[in-house]
């Protein structure tokens, strides 16, 4: 069982930055690939970024590539999402998710989810 708690969301102006954190309770955190997803009002949950267990492989949605960076610190059981050059379209609830071993880009591949953190980007 893995429990996930996100933090770091907030209100920021367009062009600004935020760093989201996700703390995991798993005793064997390094066994899990981690992903970030987001859901805007009236829209489906969409993939943002994923990282493998060691942090050596990352995948991004085209909409955030070059602006967002996913990373992890296995010693701290934490995964991060650095978000730069934020746009109003990035406004959403951001969720982190965990999946045993291999990262994925589909929400239904991840059995463990956090409660989400709100990110609002004003124009």
């Amino acid at each position: 069982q893995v429990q996930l708690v996100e933090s770091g969301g907030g209100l920021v102006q367009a062009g600004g930055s935020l760093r989201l954190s996700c703390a995991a309770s798993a005793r064997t955190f390094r066994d899990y690939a981690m992903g970030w997803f987001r859901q805007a009002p009236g829209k489906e949950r969409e993939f943002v970024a994923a990282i493998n267990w060691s942090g050596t492989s990352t995948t991004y949605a085209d909409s955030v590539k070059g602006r967002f960076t996913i990373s992890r610190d296995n010693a701290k059981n934490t995964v991060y999402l650095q978000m730069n050059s934020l746009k109003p379209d990035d406004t959403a609830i951001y969720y982190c998710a965990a999946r045993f071993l291999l990262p994925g880009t589909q929400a239904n591949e991840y059995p463990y989810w956090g409660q989400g953190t709100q990110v609002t980007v004003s124009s």
Side-chain angles (χ1 to χ4, degrees), residues 68-121:
F68 291 11
T69 302
I70 188 172
S71 61
R72 65 189 295 162
D73 185 339
N74 287 344
K76 296 183 178 179
N77 279 23
T78 301
V79 63
Y80 305 97
L81 185 68
Q82 177 67 44
M83 305 186 295
N84 299 328
S85 302
L86 282 161
K87 306 174 182 179
D89 284 349
D90 295 318
T91 295
I93 298 174
Y94 283 72
Y95 299 89
C96 73
R99 179 175 188 249
F100 189 63
L101 290 183
L102 299 177
T105 61
Q106 304 300 312
N108 61 12
E109 294 177 304
Y110 289 80
Y112 305 109
W113 291 83
Q115 82 290 349
T117 186
Q118 176 71 48
V119 171
T120 303
V121 184

Side-chain angles (χ1 to χ4, degrees), residues 8-28:
L11 174 64
V12 64
Q13 289 188 334
S17 299
L18 282 175
R19 188 175 82 154
L20 305 183
S21 300
C22 174
S25 67
R27 292 176 58 189
T28 56

